[in-house]
PDB file of all heavy atoms in Angstrom:
ATOM      1  N   GLN A 242      13.695  10.345  -2.674  1.00 98.00           N
ATOM      2  CA  GLN A 242      12.319  10.481  -3.172  1.00 98.00           C
ATOM      3  C   GLN A 242      11.626   9.127  -3.196  1.00 98.00           C
ATOM      4  O   GLN A 242      10.449   9.016  -2.832  1.00 98.00           O
ATOM      5  CB  GLN A 242      12.291  11.112  -4.565  1.00 98.00           C
ATOM      6  CG  GLN A 242      10.859  11.441  -5.013  1.00 98.00           C
ATOM      7  CD  GLN A 242      10.772  11.996  -6.414  1.00 98.00           C
ATOM      8  OE1 GLN A 242      11.752  11.985  -7.175  1.00 98.00           O
ATOM      9  NE2 GLN A 242       9.597  12.480  -6.796  1.00 98.00           N
ATOM     10  N   TRP A 243      12.325   8.066  -3.600  1.00 98.00           N
ATOM     11  CA  TRP A 243      11.727   6.727  -3.528  1.00 98.00           C
ATOM     12  C   TRP A 243      11.359   6.390  -2.088  1.00 98.00           C
ATOM     13  O   TRP A 243      10.319   5.799  -1.831  1.00 98.00           O
ATOM     14  CB  TRP A 243      12.700   5.684  -4.077  1.00 98.00           C
ATOM     15  CG  TRP A 243      12.863   5.690  -5.564  1.00 98.00           C
ATOM     16  CD1 TRP A 243      12.036   6.285  -6.487  1.00 98.00           C
ATOM     17  CD2 TRP A 243      13.904   5.056  -6.309  1.00 98.00           C
ATOM     18  NE1 TRP A 243      12.505   6.062  -7.759  1.00 98.00           N
ATOM     19  CE2 TRP A 243      13.649   5.315  -7.677  1.00 98.00           C
ATOM     20  CE3 TRP A 243      15.022   4.319  -5.955  1.00 98.00           C
ATOM     21  CZ2 TRP A 243      14.483   4.837  -8.696  1.00 98.00           C
ATOM     22  CZ3 TRP A 243      15.858   3.841  -6.958  1.00 98.00           C
ATOM     23  CH2 TRP A 243      15.585   4.104  -8.310  1.00 98.00           C
ATOM     24  N   TRP A 244      12.231   6.749  -1.161  1.00 98.00           N
ATOM     25  CA  TRP A 244      11.966   6.516   0.258  1.00 98.00           C
ATOM     26  C   TRP A 244      10.703   7.262   0.691  1.00 98.00           C
ATOM     27  O   TRP A 244       9.830   6.708   1.356  1.00 98.00           O
ATOM     28  CB  TRP A 244      13.175   6.967   1.079  1.00 98.00           C
ATOM     29  CG  TRP A 244      13.055   6.812   2.557  1.00 98.00           C
ATOM     30  CD1 TRP A 244      12.616   7.756   3.453  1.00 98.00           C
ATOM     31  CD2 TRP A 244      13.378   5.649   3.327  1.00 98.00           C
ATOM     32  NE1 TRP A 244      12.652   7.253   4.729  1.00 98.00           N
ATOM     33  CE2 TRP A 244      13.120   5.968   4.684  1.00 98.00           C
ATOM     34  CE3 TRP A 244      13.869   4.392   3.017  1.00 98.00           C
ATOM     35  CZ2 TRP A 244      13.333   5.059   5.715  1.00 98.00           C
ATOM     36  CZ3 TRP A 244      14.079   3.481   4.039  1.00 98.00           C
ATOM     37  CH2 TRP A 244      13.812   3.812   5.367  1.00 98.00           C
ATOM     38  N   ALA A 245      10.595   8.523   0.299  1.00 98.00           N
ATOM     39  CA  ALA A 245       9.420   9.318   0.656  1.00 98.00           C
ATOM     40  C   ALA A 245       8.154   8.765   0.003  1.00 98.00           C
ATOM     41  O   ALA A 245       7.081   8.733   0.621  1.00 98.00           O
ATOM     42  CB  ALA A 245       9.641  10.775   0.254  1.00 98.00           C
ATOM     43  N   LEU A 246       8.274   8.309  -1.249  1.00 97.00           N
ATOM     44  CA  LEU A 246       7.124   7.714  -1.935  1.00 97.00           C
ATOM     45  C   LEU A 246       6.676   6.426  -1.258  1.00 97.00           C
ATOM     46  O   LEU A 246       5.541   5.987  -1.428  1.00 97.00           O
ATOM     47  CB  LEU A 246       7.473   7.447  -3.400  1.00 97.00           C
ATOM     48  CG  LEU A 246       7.549   8.683  -4.305  1.00 97.00           C
ATOM     49  CD1 LEU A 246       8.297   8.372  -5.595  1.00 97.00           C
ATOM     50  CD2 LEU A 246       6.146   9.212  -4.616  1.00 97.00           C
ATOM     51  N   SER A 247       7.576   5.813  -0.502  1.00 97.00           N
ATOM     52  CA  SER A 247       7.258   4.602   0.270  1.00 97.00           C
ATOM     53  C   SER A 247       6.834   4.944   1.692  1.00 97.00           C
ATOM     54  O   SER A 247       6.977   4.122   2.612  1.00 97.00           O
ATOM     55  CB  SER A 247       8.482   3.677   0.301  1.00 97.00           C
ATOM     56  OG  SER A 247       8.921   3.352  -0.999  1.00 97.00           O
ATOM     57  N   ASP A 248       6.289   6.140   1.867  1.00 97.00           N
ATOM     58  CA  ASP A 248       5.795   6.611   3.169  1.00 97.00           C
ATOM     59  C   ASP A 248       6.903   6.671   4.214  1.00 97.00           C
ATOM     60  O   ASP A 248       6.660   6.471   5.407  1.00 97.00           O
ATOM     61  CB  ASP A 248       4.640   5.736   3.682  1.00 97.00           C
ATOM     62  CG  ASP A 248       3.394   5.857   2.823  1.00 97.00           C
ATOM     63  OD1 ASP A 248       3.211   6.906   2.181  1.00 97.00           O
ATOM     64  OD2 ASP A 248       2.608   4.897   2.784  1.00 97.00           O
ATOM     65  N   TRP A 249       8.135   6.959   3.776  1.00 98.00           N
ATOM     66  CA  TRP A 249       9.266   7.116   4.690  1.00 98.00           C
ATOM     67  C   TRP A 249       9.409   5.897   5.620  1.00 98.00           C
ATOM     68  O   TRP A 249       9.751   6.005   6.778  1.00 98.00           O
ATOM     69  CB  TRP A 249       9.114   8.387   5.532  1.00 98.00           C
ATOM     70  CG  TRP A 249       8.913   9.621   4.705  1.00 98.00           C
ATOM     71  CD1 TRP A 249       9.891  10.401   4.152  1.00 98.00           C
ATOM     72  CD2 TRP A 249       7.679  10.231   4.341  1.00 98.00           C
ATOM     73  NE1 TRP A 249       9.340  11.455   3.473  1.00 98.00           N
ATOM     74  CE2 TRP A 249       7.979  11.378   3.564  1.00 98.00           C
ATOM     75  CE3 TRP A 249       6.334   9.932   4.598  1.00 98.00           C
ATOM     76  CZ2 TRP A 249       7.002  12.203   3.044  1.00 98.00           C
ATOM     77  CZ3 TRP A 249       5.362  10.751   4.078  1.00 98.00           C
ATOM     78  CH2 TRP A 249       5.691  11.874   3.304  1.00 98.00           C
ATOM     79  N   ASN A 250       9.188   4.713   5.046  1.00 95.00           N
ATOM     80  CA  ASN A 250       9.120   3.491   5.841  1.00 95.00           C
ATOM     81  C   ASN A 250       9.943   2.395   5.181  1.00 95.00           C
ATOM     82  O   ASN A 250       9.740   2.091   3.994  1.00 95.00           O
ATOM     83  CB  ASN A 250       7.647   3.062   5.970  1.00 95.00           C
ATOM     84  CG  ASN A 250       7.467   1.773   6.729  1.00 95.00           C
ATOM     85  OD1 ASN A 250       7.574   0.701   6.156  1.00 95.00           O
ATOM     86  ND2 ASN A 250       7.181   1.883   8.023  1.00 95.00           N
ATOM     87  N   TYR A 251      10.859   1.778   5.933  1.00 95.00           N
ATOM     88  CA  TYR A 251      11.742   0.784   5.335  1.00 95.00           C
ATOM     89  C   TYR A 251      10.975  -0.430   4.810  1.00 95.00           C
ATOM     90  O   TYR A 251      11.293  -0.952   3.732  1.00 95.00           O
ATOM     91  CB  TYR A 251      12.814   0.317   6.327  1.00 95.00           C
ATOM     92  CG  TYR A 251      13.681  -0.761   5.724  1.00 95.00           C
ATOM     93  CD1 TYR A 251      14.728  -0.427   4.874  1.00 95.00           C
ATOM     94  CD2 TYR A 251      13.413  -2.113   5.946  1.00 95.00           C
ATOM     95  CE1 TYR A 251      15.502  -1.408   4.279  1.00 95.00           C
ATOM     96  CE2 TYR A 251      14.184  -3.096   5.344  1.00 95.00           C
ATOM     97  CZ  TYR A 251      15.222  -2.738   4.514  1.00 95.00           C
ATOM     98  OH  TYR A 251      15.975  -3.715   3.892  1.00 95.00           O
ATOM     99  N   ASP A 252       9.990  -0.912   5.552  1.00 93.00           N
ATOM    100  CA  ASP A 252       9.259  -2.102   5.110  1.00 93.00           C
ATOM    101  C   ASP A 252       8.585  -1.855   3.762  1.00 93.00           C
ATOM    102  O   ASP A 252       8.619  -2.714   2.869  1.00 93.00           O
ATOM    103  CB  ASP A 252       8.222  -2.514   6.155  1.00 93.00           C
ATOM    104  CG  ASP A 252       8.854  -3.130   7.392  1.00 93.00           C
ATOM    105  OD1 ASP A 252      10.017  -3.586   7.298  1.00 93.00           O
ATOM    106  OD2 ASP A 252       8.199  -3.137   8.458  1.00 93.00           O
ATOM    107  N   LYS A 253       7.970  -0.684   3.600  1.00 93.00           N
ATOM    108  CA  LYS A 253       7.330  -0.369   2.319  1.00 93.00           C
ATOM    109  C   LYS A 253       8.384  -0.145   1.235  1.00 93.00           C
ATOM    110  O   LYS A 253       8.187  -0.520   0.074  1.00 93.00           O
ATOM    111  CB  LYS A 253       6.430   0.852   2.471  1.00 93.00           C
ATOM    112  CG  LYS A 253       5.180   0.586   3.293  1.00 93.00           C
ATOM    113  CD  LYS A 253       4.237   1.784   3.274  1.00 93.00           C
ATOM    114  CE  LYS A 253       2.961   1.476   4.049  1.00 93.00           C
ATOM    115  NZ  LYS A 253       2.011   2.614   4.036  1.00 93.00           N
ATOM    116  N   PHE A 254       9.481   0.475   1.596  1.00 94.00           N
ATOM    117  CA  PHE A 254      10.576   0.728   0.664  1.00 94.00           C
ATOM    118  C   PHE A 254      11.120  -0.587   0.113  1.00 94.00           C
ATOM    119  O   PHE A 254      11.328  -0.742  -1.100  1.00 94.00           O
ATOM    120  CB  PHE A 254      11.670   1.501   1.400  1.00 94.00           C
ATOM    121  CG  PHE A 254      12.891   1.826   0.605  1.00 94.00           C
ATOM    122  CD1 PHE A 254      12.876   2.798  -0.382  1.00 94.00           C
ATOM    123  CD2 PHE A 254      14.091   1.165   0.864  1.00 94.00           C
ATOM    124  CE1 PHE A 254      14.026   3.109  -1.100  1.00 94.00           C
ATOM    125  CE2 PHE A 254      15.247   1.469   0.158  1.00 94.00           C
ATOM    126  CZ  PHE A 254      15.208   2.450  -0.829  1.00 94.00           C
ATOM    127  N   SER A 255      11.330  -1.557   0.975  1.00 90.00           N
ATOM    128  CA  SER A 255      11.905  -2.832   0.540  1.00 90.00           C
ATOM    129  C   SER A 255      10.878  -3.727  -0.140  1.00 90.00           C
ATOM    130  O   SER A 255      11.212  -4.493  -1.045  1.00 90.00           O
ATOM    131  CB  SER A 255      12.528  -3.563   1.727  1.00 90.00           C
ATOM    132  OG  SER A 255      11.564  -3.848   2.719  1.00 90.00           O
ATOM    133  N   SER A 256       9.612  -3.647   0.269  1.00 85.00           N
ATOM    134  CA  SER A 256       8.588  -4.523  -0.317  1.00 85.00           C
ATOM    135  C   SER A 256       8.106  -4.026  -1.673  1.00 85.00           C
ATOM    136  O   SER A 256       7.363  -4.723  -2.363  1.00 85.00           O
ATOM    137  CB  SER A 256       7.393  -4.656   0.631  1.00 85.00           C
ATOM    138  OG  SER A 256       6.719  -3.419   0.788  1.00 85.00           O
ATOM    139  N   ALA A 257       8.552  -2.842  -2.082  1.00 82.00           N
ATOM    140  CA  ALA A 257       8.141  -2.316  -3.392  1.00 82.00           C
ATOM    141  C   ALA A 257       8.638  -3.182  -4.539  1.00 82.00           C
ATOM    142  O   ALA A 257       8.152  -3.066  -5.663  1.00 82.00           O
ATOM    143  CB  ALA A 257       8.648  -0.886  -3.561  1.00 82.00           C
ATOM    144  N   THR A 258       9.597  -4.067  -4.282  1.00 81.00           N
ATOM    145  CA  THR A 258      10.129  -4.945  -5.324  1.00 81.00           C
ATOM    146  C   THR A 258       9.759  -6.405  -5.086  1.00 81.00           C
ATOM    147  O   THR A 258      10.501  -7.313  -5.465  1.00 81.00           O
ATOM    148  CB  THR A 258      11.659  -4.808  -5.406  1.00 81.00           C
ATOM    149  OG1 THR A 258      12.219  -5.096  -4.111  1.00 81.00           O
ATOM    150  CG2 THR A 258      12.072  -3.423  -5.848  1.00 81.00           C
ATOM    151  N   SER A 259       8.599  -6.647  -4.493  1.00 77.00           N
ATOM    152  CA  SER A 259       8.207  -8.035  -4.226  1.00 77.00           C
ATOM    153  C   SER A 259       6.913  -8.441  -4.923  1.00 77.00           C
ATOM    154  O   SER A 259       6.563  -9.616  -4.919  1.00 77.00           O
ATOM    155  CB  SER A 259       8.050  -8.254  -2.716  1.00 77.00           C
ATOM    156  OG  SER A 259       6.998  -7.460  -2.201  1.00 77.00           O
ATOM    157  N   SER A 260       6.206  -7.504  -5.524  1.00 89.00           N
ATOM    158  CA  SER A 260       4.900  -7.791  -6.120  1.00 89.00           C
ATOM    159  C   SER A 260       4.966  -7.586  -7.629  1.00 89.00           C
ATOM    160  O   SER A 260       5.267  -6.489  -8.099  1.00 89.00           O
ATOM    161  CB  SER A 260       3.838  -6.860  -5.505  1.00 89.00           C
ATOM    162  OG  SER A 260       2.600  -7.029  -6.139  1.00 89.00           O
ATOM    163  N   ARG A 261       4.704  -8.651  -8.378  1.00 93.00           N
ATOM    164  CA  ARG A 261       4.759  -8.584  -9.833  1.00 93.00           C
ATOM    165  C   ARG A 261       3.488  -9.169 -10.434  1.00 93.00           C
ATOM    166  O   ARG A 261       2.614  -9.648  -9.701  1.00 93.00           O
ATOM    167  CB  ARG A 261       6.015  -9.303 -10.344  1.00 93.00           C
ATOM    168  CG  ARG A 261       6.184 -10.695  -9.815  1.00 93.00           C
ATOM    169  CD  ARG A 261       7.595 -11.253 -10.017  1.00 93.00           C
ATOM    170  NE  ARG A 261       7.785 -12.499  -9.271  1.00 93.00           N
ATOM    171  CZ  ARG A 261       7.424 -13.689  -9.690  1.00 93.00           C
ATOM    172  NH1 ARG A 261       6.846 -13.824 -10.878  1.00 93.00           N
ATOM    173  NH2 ARG A 261       7.625 -14.764  -8.950  1.00 93.00           N
ATOM    174  N   LEU A 262       3.374  -9.137 -11.761  1.00 97.00           N
ATOM    175  CA  LEU A 262       2.137  -9.527 -12.427  1.00 97.00           C
ATOM    176  C   LEU A 262       2.146 -11.014 -12.777  1.00 97.00           C
ATOM    177  O   LEU A 262       3.144 -11.548 -13.268  1.00 97.00           O
ATOM    178  CB  LEU A 262       1.936  -8.697 -13.696  1.00 97.00           C
ATOM    179  CG  LEU A 262       1.891  -7.186 -13.496  1.00 97.00           C
ATOM    180  CD1 LEU A 262       1.617  -6.479 -14.827  1.00 97.00           C
ATOM    181  CD2 LEU A 262       0.838  -6.797 -12.464  1.00 97.00           C
ATOM    182  N   VAL A 263       1.013 -11.654 -12.548  1.00 95.00           N
ATOM    183  CA  VAL A 263       0.887 -13.095 -12.823  1.00 95.00           C
ATOM    184  C   VAL A 263       1.171 -13.395 -14.290  1.00 95.00           C
ATOM    185  O   VAL A 263       1.880 -14.347 -14.620  1.00 95.00           O
ATOM    186  CB  VAL A 263      -0.523 -13.577 -12.425  1.00 95.00           C
ATOM    187  CG1 VAL A 263      -0.743 -15.017 -12.894  1.00 95.00           C
ATOM    188  CG2 VAL A 263      -0.715 -13.468 -10.917  1.00 95.00           C
ATOM    189  N   HIS A 264       0.619 -12.590 -15.187  1.00 96.00           N
ATOM    190  CA  HIS A 264       0.768 -12.844 -16.618  1.00 96.00           C
ATOM    191  C   HIS A 264       1.849 -11.965 -17.259  1.00 96.00           C
ATOM    192  O   HIS A 264       1.977 -11.961 -18.486  1.00 96.00           O
ATOM    193  CB  HIS A 264      -0.573 -12.641 -17.323  1.00 96.00           C
ATOM    194  CG  HIS A 264      -1.654 -13.537 -16.807  1.00 96.00           C
ATOM    195  ND1 HIS A 264      -1.619 -14.904 -16.941  1.00 96.00           N
ATOM    196  CD2 HIS A 264      -2.792 -13.255 -16.109  1.00 96.00           C
ATOM    197  CE1 HIS A 264      -2.692 -15.440 -16.373  1.00 96.00           C
ATOM    198  NE2 HIS A 264      -3.411 -14.461 -15.861  1.00 96.00           N
ATOM    199  N   GLY A 265       2.596 -11.266 -16.442  1.00 97.00           N
ATOM    200  CA  GLY A 265       3.726 -10.503 -16.941  1.00 97.00           C
ATOM    201  C   GLY A 265       3.367  -9.111 -17.429  1.00 97.00           C
ATOM    202  O   GLY A 265       2.215  -8.807 -17.735  1.00 97.00           O
ATOM    203  N   THR A 266       4.397  -8.273 -17.514  1.00 98.00           N
ATOM    204  CA  THR A 266       4.181  -6.918 -18.026  1.00 98.00           C
ATOM    205  C   THR A 266       3.772  -6.932 -19.494  1.00 98.00           C
ATOM    206  O   THR A 266       3.123  -6.008 -19.969  1.00 98.00           O
ATOM    207  CB  THR A 266       5.451  -6.075 -17.863  1.00 98.00           C
ATOM    208  OG1 THR A 266       6.547  -6.732 -18.514  1.00 98.00           O
ATOM    209  CG2 THR A 266       5.787  -5.855 -16.392  1.00 98.00           C
ATOM    210  N   ALA A 267       4.154  -8.001 -20.218  1.00 98.00           N
ATOM    211  CA  ALA A 267       3.782  -8.085 -21.632  1.00 98.00           C
ATOM    212  C   ALA A 267       2.271  -8.110 -21.804  1.00 98.00           C
ATOM    213  O   ALA A 267       1.717  -7.431 -22.673  1.00 98.00           O
ATOM    214  CB  ALA A 267       4.410  -9.320 -22.276  1.00 98.00           C
ATOM    215  N   ALA A 268       1.570  -8.894 -20.984  1.00 98.00           N
ATOM    216  CA  ALA A 268       0.111  -8.955 -21.080  1.00 98.00           C
ATOM    217  C   ALA A 268      -0.514  -7.607 -20.745  1.00 98.00           C
ATOM    218  O   ALA A 268      -1.500  -7.191 -21.359  1.00 98.00           O
ATOM    219  CB  ALA A 268      -0.425 -10.041 -20.148  1.00 98.00           C
ATOM    220  N   PHE A 269       0.068  -6.912 -19.785  1.00 98.00           N
ATOM    221  CA  PHE A 269      -0.430  -5.606 -19.371  1.00 98.00           C
ATOM    222  C   PHE A 269      -0.299  -4.588 -20.509  1.00 98.00           C
ATOM    223  O   PHE A 269      -1.263  -3.915 -20.888  1.00 98.00           O
ATOM    224  CB  PHE A 269       0.357  -5.159 -18.140  1.00 98.00           C
ATOM    225  CG  PHE A 269      -0.065  -3.861 -17.520  1.00 98.00           C
ATOM    226  CD1 PHE A 269      -1.318  -3.290 -17.774  1.00 98.00           C
ATOM    227  CD2 PHE A 269       0.793  -3.203 -16.658  1.00 98.00           C
ATOM    228  CE1 PHE A 269      -1.690  -2.087 -17.179  1.00 98.00           C
ATOM    229  CE2 PHE A 269       0.435  -2.001 -16.058  1.00 98.00           C
ATOM    230  CZ  PHE A 269      -0.806  -1.445 -16.335  1.00 98.00           C
ATOM    231  N   ILE A 270       0.881  -4.496 -21.101  1.00 98.00           N
ATOM    232  CA  ILE A 270       1.073  -3.485 -22.135  1.00 98.00           C
ATOM    233  C   ILE A 270       0.346  -3.858 -23.426  1.00 98.00           C
ATOM    234  O   ILE A 270      -0.113  -2.993 -24.167  1.00 98.00           O
ATOM    235  CB  ILE A 270       2.577  -3.231 -22.392  1.00 98.00           C
ATOM    236  CG1 ILE A 270       2.744  -1.892 -23.121  1.00 98.00           C
ATOM    237  CG2 ILE A 270       3.240  -4.379 -23.120  1.00 98.00           C
ATOM    238  CD1 ILE A 270       4.173  -1.402 -23.164  1.00 98.00           C
ATOM    239  N   GLU A 271       0.170  -5.163 -23.685  1.00 98.00           N
ATOM    240  CA  GLU A 271      -0.630  -5.571 -24.839  1.00 98.00           C
ATOM    241  C   GLU A 271      -2.074  -5.113 -24.681  1.00 98.00           C
ATOM    242  O   GLU A 271      -2.709  -4.672 -25.642  1.00 98.00           O
ATOM    243  CB  GLU A 271      -0.574  -7.094 -25.015  1.00 98.00           C
ATOM    244  CG  GLU A 271       0.659  -7.591 -25.738  1.00 98.00           C
ATOM    245  CD  GLU A 271       0.590  -7.357 -27.239  1.00 98.00           C
ATOM    246  OE1 GLU A 271      -0.459  -6.888 -27.732  1.00 98.00           O
ATOM    247  OE2 GLU A 271       1.580  -7.643 -27.925  1.00 98.00           O
ATOM    248  N   ALA A 272      -2.611  -5.231 -23.473  1.00 98.00           N
ATOM    249  CA  ALA A 272      -3.986  -4.787 -23.233  1.00 98.00           C
ATOM    250  C   ALA A 272      -4.109  -3.281 -23.453  1.00 98.00           C
ATOM    251  O   ALA A 272      -5.090  -2.802 -24.042  1.00 98.00           O
ATOM    252  CB  ALA A 272      -4.421  -5.160 -21.819  1.00 98.00           C
TER     253      ALA A 272
END
Side-chain angles (χ1 to χ4, degrees):
Q242 188 183 10
W243 287 344
W244 179 267
L246 286 163
S247 304
D248 293 333
W249 306 274
N250 178 276
Y251 177 81
D252 287 340
K253 290 187 177 181
F254 179 73
S255 61
S256 66
T258 56
S259 64
S260 175
R261 52 196 169 83
L262 302 183
V263 172
H264 301 295
T266 56
F269 183 18
I270 198 168
E271 278 284 355

